């Protein structure tokens, strides 16, 4: 592969990493379901053990099927190298843990993914790592919270419920001035719509469970960064905590990648049409969508994202919880489930996080729904939305 087409999508998705000479010229890569690999000499054993992250020694570390995926994910994110781990949560945890020690401080966006929040507030705090959640849409707010022991600036742009974004270029520049490592959860955009490394971000993590695998059948995470950082995370967090994926899941992810740009183009297009429908509907109070021209962050969103994907949130204009139940029931072409990024459209009612005994209500209004627009025809989905609104 020549350098000028290093990031060419066609090249990455069809050719990169596929060494067909090694497996009977098969088009589809083999699932090398083997825990360990044989050495023919002491020399070979010695050499491979010394370089375990890129050789095949033991599948807790590296595996030929997983290795193809690593190469493609690194190229997709314009990174030097990548690691594939057991979940998005383990990708986030490994990336963050790899950059701190006891006594350090982390600055994190407000309302990060729930398990990022848990990692900081009820896991790393046990190891004397402190944190501040800041409104990172304002670079001055971030600056104000930098302490002498701050090590990480943790970003998530956009977040996957109300879609606040951060100025990635400004965040990366500020972090470099203060010697902070920048990490971003890029699950919402996938590498198709946003490449944070181009803006100077150090580590990009993904829940590959979402768009990358794309068929609601695999849980997986990805970490993309420099060769140096990836090697450190491999030798420490990945190997000690054993954050492995199975070759079979890597195969499914590779299969998912073949259609990643197609699927994203489709959900992006459909979601925009659904956004326009919701925006003009009299029973909708408010719509949350990064490419809403009325969004105060619209210009920044357009600068750093080439698409939005399939997530939209909105508030139903009602004072009645019964109406929310009626609307929910009528919206029967959307499955109610967590997660997103698969073939199927989903609905997530905020009301489920209210009126829970012994718990504070969620700060998100109970009138809000998050929709994930899947691969169905958008006319089919809009028809169902129309019907559901007509019933309230
Ligand atoms: C789902 C999700 C994660 C966690 O990924 P898992 O694969 O479920 O562990 C992290 N960040 C975001 C934004 C997500 O949507």
């Amino acid at each position: 592969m020549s350098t000028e087409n290093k990031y060419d999508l066609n090249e990455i998705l069809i050719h990169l990493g596929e060494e067909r000479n090694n497996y009977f010229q098969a088009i589809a890569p083999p699932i090398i379901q083997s825990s360990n690999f044989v050495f023919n000499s002491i020399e070979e054993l010695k050499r491979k053990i010394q370089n375990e992250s890129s050789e095949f020694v033991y599948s807790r570390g590296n595996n030929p099927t997983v290795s193809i995926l690593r190469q493609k994910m690194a190229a997709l994110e314009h990174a030097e190298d990548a690691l594939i781990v057991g979940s998005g949560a383990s990708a986030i945890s490994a990336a963050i843990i790899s950059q701190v020690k006891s006594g350090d401080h982390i600055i994190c966006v407000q309302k990060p993914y729930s398990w990022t929040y848990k990692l900081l507030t009820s896991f790393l705090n046990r190891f004397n790592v402190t944190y501040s959640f800041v409104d990172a849409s304002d670079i001055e707010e971030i600056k104000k919270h930098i302490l002498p022991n701050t090590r990480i600036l943790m970003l998530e742009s956009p977040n996957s419920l109300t879609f606040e974004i951060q100025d990635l270029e400004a965040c990366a520049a500020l972090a470099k001035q203060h010697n902070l490592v920048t990490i971003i959860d890029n699950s919402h955009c996938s590498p198709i719509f946003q490449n944070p490394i181009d803006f100077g971000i150090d580590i990009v993590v993904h829940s590959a469970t979402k768009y990358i695998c794309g068929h609601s059948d695999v849980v997986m995470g990805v970490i993309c960064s420099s060769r140096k950082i990836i090697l450190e995370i491999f030798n420490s967090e990945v190997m000690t905590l054993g954050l492995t994926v199975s070759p079979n899941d890597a195969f499914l992810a590779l299969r998912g990648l073949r259609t990643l740009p197609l699927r994203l183009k489709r959900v992006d297009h459909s979601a925009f049409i659904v956004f326009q429908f919701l925006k003009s509907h009299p029973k909708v109070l408010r719509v949350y969508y990064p490419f809403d021209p009325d969004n105060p962050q619209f210009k920044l969103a357009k600068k750093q994202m080439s698409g939005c994907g399939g997530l939209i949130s909105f508030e139903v204009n009602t004072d009645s919880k019964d109406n929310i139940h009626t609307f929910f029931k009528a919206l029967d072409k959307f499955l109610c489930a967590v997660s997103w990024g698969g073939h199927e459209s989903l609905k997530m009612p905020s009301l489920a996080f209210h009126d829970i005994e012994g718990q504070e209500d969620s700060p998100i209004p109970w009138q809000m729904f998050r929709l994930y627009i899947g691969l169905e025809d958008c006319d089919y989905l809009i028809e169902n939305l129309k019907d559901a609104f007509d019933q309230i």
Side-chain angles (χ1 to χ4, degrees), residues 117-358:
Y117 182 85
K118 280 257 171 72
L119 174 74
L120 301 187
T121 57
S122 54
F123 185 103
L124 281 176
N125 63 335
R126 286 165 30 209
F127 302 94
N128 192 29
V129 173
T130 54
Y131 52 84
S132 309
F133 293 107
V134 311
D135 175 5
S137 60
D138 181 352
I139 200 85
E140 292 304 319
E141 274 300 300
I142 303 176
K143 216 182 270 178
K144 258 194 252 166
H145 286 85
I146 298 176
L147 301 171
N149 59 337
T150 306
R151 286 297 306 135
I152 292 179
L153 176 56
M154 178 69 204
L155 307 173
E156 187 178 319
S157 186
N159 94 2
S160 55
L161 185 60
T162 43
F163 315 119
E164 292 85 354
I165 65 177
Q166 301 99 50
D167 184 331
L168 302 187
E169 202 167 13
C171 286
L174 177 69
K176 287 209 163 64
Q177 272 173 23
H178 293 269
N179 213 14
L180 316 182
V181 176
T182 41
I183 305 175
I184 186 169
D185 181 336
N186 198 30
S187 305
H188 180 281
C189 281
S190 93
I192 301 300
F193 289 151
Q194 180 168 270
N195 295 121
I197 286 174
D198 294 349
F199 296 106
I201 300 295
D202 298 309
I203 306 178
V204 178
V205 293
H206 283 282
S207 169
T209 313
K210 312 295 163 53
Y211 289 127
I212 290 164
C213 292
H215 296 75
S216 301
D217 50 11
V218 177
V219 175
M220 182 184 285
V222 179
I223 309 169
C224 303
S225 189
S226 65
R227 210 162 273 121
K228 178 172 174 287
I229 287 176
I230 289 295
L231 186 60
E232 284 166 4
I233 298 176
F234 176 86
N235 282 325
S236 179
E237 286 71 26
V238 164
M239 287 305 274
T240 56
L241 302 174
L243 308 176
T244 313
V245 290
S246 75
N248 193 64
D249 281 353
F251 174 86
L252 289 172
L254 285 165
R255 184 215 268 258
L257 279 188
R258 310 287 188 203
T259 56
L260 180 66
L262 269 179
R263 287 185 284 111
L264 277 170
K265 203 170 158 186
R266 167 87 171 178
V267 302
D268 188 56
H269 177 74
S270 299
F272 186 70
I273 294 172
V274 172
F275 155 71
Q276 288 175 314
F277 168 81
L278 292 170
K279 184 86 178 170
S280 63
H281 199 288
K283 289 180 185 165
V284 173
L285 186 66
R286 180 173 176 192
V287 185
Y288 300 75
Y289 182 70
F291 282 4
D292 179 349
D294 295 333
N295 170 10
Q297 293 189 298
F298 175 71
K299 245 180 87 182
L300 178 60
K302 281 284 187 181
K303 176 194 159 199
Q304 55 194 33
M305 297 158 58
S306 60
C308 259
L311 289 173
I312 308 176
S313 297
F314 67 97
E315 291 168 31
V316 180
N317 192 0
T318 182
D319 291 331
S320 146
K321 289 184 182 170
D322 284 347
N323 269 343
I324 297 295
H325 286 286
T326 306
F327 180 83
F328 177 87
K329 265 199 211 105
L331 198 64
D332 58 353
K333 305 303 180 200
F334 291 73
L335 301 172
C336 177
V338 299
S339 195
W340 44 273
H343 51 287
E344 75 293 359
S345 289
L346 300 173
K347 59 186 170 190
M348 182 49 63
S350 168
L351 186 56
F353 304 94
H354 288 257
D355 309 325
I356 304 168
E357 235 186 74

Side-chain angles (χ1 to χ4, degrees), residues 17-78:
E18 321 238 5
E19 297 176 34
R20 299 189 172 101
N21 284 333
N22 293 342
Y23 39 84
F24 314 104
Q25 306 301 339
I27 297 277
I31 302 168
I32 306 286
Q33 192 72 39
S34 186
S35 57
N36 44 354
F37 299 85
V38 172
F39 314 103
N40 287 315
S41 66
I42 293 176
E43 279 314 307
E44 188 186 2
L45 170 62
K46 189 173 167 185
R47 176 171 57 78
K48 291 190 170 171
I49 290 272
Q50 291 306 312
N51 193 17
E52 192 166 349
S53 84
S54 48
E55 298 287 353
F56 303 123
V57 174
Y58 187 54
S59 287
R60 170 152 44 81
N62 203 12
N63 168 282
T65 312
V66 178
S67 167
I68 301 172
L69 182 58
R70 279 179 65 180
Q71 293 172 61
K72 289 189 195 285
M73 284 310 309
L76 284 172
E77 274 299 7
H78 305 183

